[in-house]
Amino acid sequence: MTDTPALSLNVPQPACRPGDTPDFSSIDVPAAGSVRRPPVDEQPDAMRDLAFTIIRVLDDEGNAVGDWADSLTDEEVARGLRDMMTLRIFDNRMMTAQRQGKTSFYMQHLGEEAVSCAFQRALNKGDMNFPTYRQAGLLIASDYPLETMMCQVFSNEADPLHGRQLPVMYSSKEHGFFTISGNLATQYIQAVGWSMASAIKGDTKIATSWIGDGSTSESDFHAALVFASTYAAPVVLNVVNNQWAISTFQGLARGGSHTFAARGHGFGIPSLRVDGNDYLAVHAAAKWATERARRNLGPTLIEHVTYRAGGHSTSDDPSAYRPKAESEAWPLGDPIDRVKTYLINKGLWSDDRHKQAEAEITDMVIECQKRAEAIGTLNSGHAPSPRDMFEDVYAEMPAHLVRQRHEVGY
Amino acid sequence: MTQMTMIGAIQNAHDLAMERDENVVVFGEDVGYFGGVFRCTAGLQQKYGASRCFDAPISELGIVGAGVGMAAYGLKPVVEVQFADYMYPAYDQIVSEAARLRYRSGGEFTCPMVVRMPTGGGIWGGQTHSQSPEALFTHVSGLKTVIPSNPQDAKGLLLSAIADPDPVIFLEPKRLYNGPFDGYHDRPVQPWKKHPMGEVDPGYYEIPLGKAAVAREGQDMTIVTYGTMVHVAMAAVEATGINAEVIDLRTLIPLDTETVMASVQKTGRCIVLHEATLTSGFGAELAAQVQAECFYHLEAPVLRVAGWDTPYPHAQEWAYFPGPDRVGRNMKNLMEA
């Protein structure tokens, strides 16, 4: 006989399920401005605290406060607001287009607009993002044509990817946006390799890596942190913690054990945790981390604390696994509303001007959509040629692919 | 010409490629300071510096994944997976990423990377130092798969692979590193210096990918093979006296179908031979293509001789390895078929 009890398996569960009252009491939200900003060459050990708090600039009244404020001019913040609004309106239009059968699939960014839009503004031309499928703000903030994004979503003749890729899997070398893969986390280590290449060549470019909370469980996350740390690679490792991986809450990736930022410390990587719904805070953290990388001081990990306010994709219904009103209870609010309030406080914006801007951007997005739809949508008969299906498998088409292409009739 | 082992030839190919193109970088486990567990990268770090040839953490997915990123930047990474048996953690990066970058990005991003990995059995390597996983690569669109059988080819094919704009899986039969091996494990092994193919051109040269070599001309049957089995086939020809034509494919994808089909159309009989397990092995692809292209020339069914459909055993090494006796027996059966 043994005197130890029978073992039991721990299967983490979120605090709330459909029908429950949303509860984010487990998230400790520090006051805006309360977190210090260390010098960029601070040793990782001396700044462990920054991985266990949340860097916030915008307070509840919409004022920018503390050490991390003032990384942007008023014009830049206004531009940021416009980028975020554009992304949200773009998402709206594409969600509807999917419902209308103009494409097969879409993924929106609702609530996460600040993360990618703000980060992109800390990058230089020539730097390379290795994004996931939920950072289209990186493209919008670098002035990638919306019409071309739509052509990709519609898989039409003007799709630069020739209809080969699922919607939203954009690619633009010129805009520092690495080709998106459906396989999660793979790009995380690739970004490290890209930045190592930049270091090997004595270049000045840096890379940024993107991953969601759920995908930190993939092996590539671990490999990326080891390689980034070992070779002091000029890379910024972003974790976008939006609390949800499809139906799985972030506790299943063991976000509940500690913060995701804290994982950087095990590898000797300085780590920040930032309010992902605070455009100013995301930009300030991005600026800090990119400066570290540019000064050859090595990698930084940034956990962006945010909330996936929409469904995972057009194929997902979140009301099946979480309370319907959960996004309204999210303590970090809405990124667009917060910047709007900030600009109004400064006398640079107003509700009327906001409504007007919304209408203008909507008109502009609709114009782009009309042009893209005129070229074709998924089922309108203006798909790329089947001939394109055989191109780019290799640099030169080998004989067996030429034979197969002929068999299709091209 | 200079005497070289396959190891020396591979080291020399690295050296020439690094000298010729400063974008060539070499890394993997134990590859840097130590020069590789098989010495294939010996002296490179000393000659080219630690930023061109360096040691990597023990993470195959990390090595290949970082290589993909470097290739996307514009470097030419030549990375090593210590044994082909340990490539599985990197398989996602190879299949989902390296092979598809060009295709999925509309040609914007490419992956001119070489992944070297020692392969094959016959060395008492047991389950995880003997595997031949080539069929797991030839099944993947976007990859090229190369496997040399001698030093002269190893060097020329590796130089081609490094210069190639596509990702290349470069499988090196470790059984052949120090000398040819014909499967007679109970006889003393000859070093490459006593074999004509140990004579290697010391300068830069490329052997084109996608071109097979006729290792031996013959009339009675065609043996289509690659790697260590080229030497086994030659020994079986000698033992049986059957005048077989032996084709060393050298490159599995792209496949030199012209050379294979011309040979089978001439001989009317065909054995496809490899160490890898039989079911869904690369031999199945070869047999299917030969059957389709040479149906009216065939005087007997295409025969496959391969490793058994078991994990690679230790104590039963020579009952597993398709040696000259088994190959010879099959050759006789095929002549009588």
Side-chain angles (χ1 to χ4, degrees), chain A residues 257-276:
Chain A
S257 61
H258 261 316
T259 68
F260 290 101
R263 289 180 198 173
H265 284 300
F267 297 86
I269 298 173
S271 303
L272 309 177
R273 197 158 182 260
V274 66
D275 179 346

Side-chain angles (χ1 to χ4, degrees), chain B residues 52-90:
Chain B
R52 296 276 311 278
C53 176
F54 52 91
D55 293 307
I58 304 177
S59 169
E60 289 78 13
L61 102 75
I63 291 166
V64 174
V68 172
M70 289 182 194
Y73 175 92
L75 297 189
K76 282 195 152 279
V78 182
V79 306
E80 180 182 295
V81 170
Q82 204 161 75
F83 287 86
D85 315 61
Y86 301 136
M87 70 84 185
Y88 303 103

Side-chain angles (χ1 to χ4, degrees), chain A residues 146-317:
Chain A
L146 296 183
E147 186 185 328
T148 312
M149 289 172 76
M150 290 169 178
C151 289
Q152 197 282 328
V153 171
F154 293 145
S155 286
N156 64 21
E157 283 169 336
D159 170 9
L161 310 183
H162 307 287
R164 295 174 192 147
Q165 271 273 48
L166 206 61
V168 314
M169 306 283 182
Y170 312 106
S171 174
S172 177
K173 193 172 198 170
E174 191 197 335
H175 296 79
F177 192 92
F178 186 72
T179 161
I180 295 178
S181 172
N183 295 66
L184 296 176
T186 51
Q187 77 290 342
Y188 219 59
I189 175 70
Q190 292 163 6
V192 177
W194 195 98
S195 74
M196 287 168 69
S198 186
I200 287 167
K201 297 302 286 181
D203 204 342
T204 56
K205 298 173 192 140
I206 62 167
T208 66
S209 210
W210 296 87
I211 204 167
D213 45 286
S215 301
T216 61
S217 308
E218 294 279 7
S219 309
D220 311 54
F221 176 70
H222 181 274
L225 267 58
V226 174
F227 275 64
S229 183
T230 296
Y231 301 109
V235 64
V236 182
L237 303 152
N238 292 288
V239 178
V240 182
N241 177 8
N242 68 13
Q243 317 301 317
W244 291 95
I246 309 185
S247 73
T248 311
F249 89 117
Q250 51 94 21
L252 223 76
R254 286 317 276 140
S257 61
H258 261 316
T259 68
F260 290 101
R263 289 180 198 173
H265 284 300
F267 297 86
I269 298 173
S271 303
L272 309 177
R273 197 158 182 260
V274 66
D275 179 346
N277 290 15
D278 181 342
Y279 185 94
L280 278 66
V282 171
H283 180 268
K287 196 178 167 197
W288 189 91
T290 51
E291 191 188 335
R292 261 183 63 79
R294 287 186 218 289
R295 286 176 53 183
N296 213 29
L297 296 165
T300 305
L301 190 150
I302 303 178
E303 176 185 350
H304 303 262
V305 183
T306 182
Y307 183 81
R308 195 197 76 209
H312 166 71
S313 70
T314 47
S315 306
D316 177 49
D317 172 16

Side-chain angles (χ1 to χ4, degrees), chain A residues 43-205:
Chain A
Q43 290 303 304
D45 281 352
M47 46 176 288
R48 295 179 68 86
D49 52 317
L50 295 179
F52 297 93
T53 181
I54 301 177
I55 296 164
R56 307 181 69 226
V57 170
L58 290 172
D59 67 16
D60 293 345
E61 286 72 48
N63 302 306
V65 292
D67 294 354
W68 294 87
D70 304 324
S71 72
L72 291 161
T73 65
D74 292 340
E75 290 73 24
E76 287 167 334
V77 179
R79 157 78 201 238
L81 177 61
R82 190 178 173 82
D83 288 340
M84 291 194 288
M85 291 170 74
T86 305
L87 178 55
R88 186 167 294 185
I89 290 163
F90 181 89
D91 275 348
N92 267 326
R93 298 294 308 177
M94 292 299 101
M95 291 293 285
T96 305
Q98 190 277 335
R99 302 294 186 219
Q100 293 167 336
K102 290 171 182 167
T103 184
S104 64
F105 180 74
Y106 192 71
M107 304 181 93
Q108 63 177 330
H109 305 73
L110 190 63
E112 298 177 44
E113 293 89 346
V115 176
S116 52
C117 290
F119 200 99
Q120 180 63 41
R121 309 300 290 174
L123 295 174
N124 294 340
K125 184 96 181 154
D127 295 339
M128 186 63 71
N129 283 295
F130 285 73
T132 77
Y133 46 68
R134 223 186 294 279
Q135 275 91 43
L138 299 170
L139 282 175
I140 285 175
S142 59
D143 296 318
Y144 187 80
L146 296 183
E147 186 185 328
T148 312
M149 289 172 76
M150 290 169 178
C151 289
Q152 197 282 328
V153 171
F154 293 145
S155 286
N156 64 21
E157 283 169 336
D159 170 9
L161 310 183
H162 307 287
R164 295 174 192 147
Q165 271 273 48
L166 206 61
V168 314
M169 306 283 182
Y170 312 106
S171 174
S172 177
K173 193 172 198 170
E174 191 197 335
H175 296 79
F177 192 92
F178 186 72
T179 161
I180 295 178
S181 172
N183 295 66
L184 296 176
T186 51
Q187 77 290 342
Y188 219 59
I189 175 70
Q190 292 163 6
V192 177
W194 195 98
S195 74
M196 287 168 69
S198 186
I200 287 167
K201 297 302 286 181
D203 204 342
T204 56
K205 298 173 192 140

Side-chain angles (χ1 to χ4, degrees), chain B residues 202-220:
Chain B
Y204 183 94
Y205 65 93
E206 293 181 7
I207 292 177
L209 306 186
K211 294 282 175 215
V214 179
R216 180 192 188 281
E217 286 190 18
Q219 302 296 326
D220 294 346

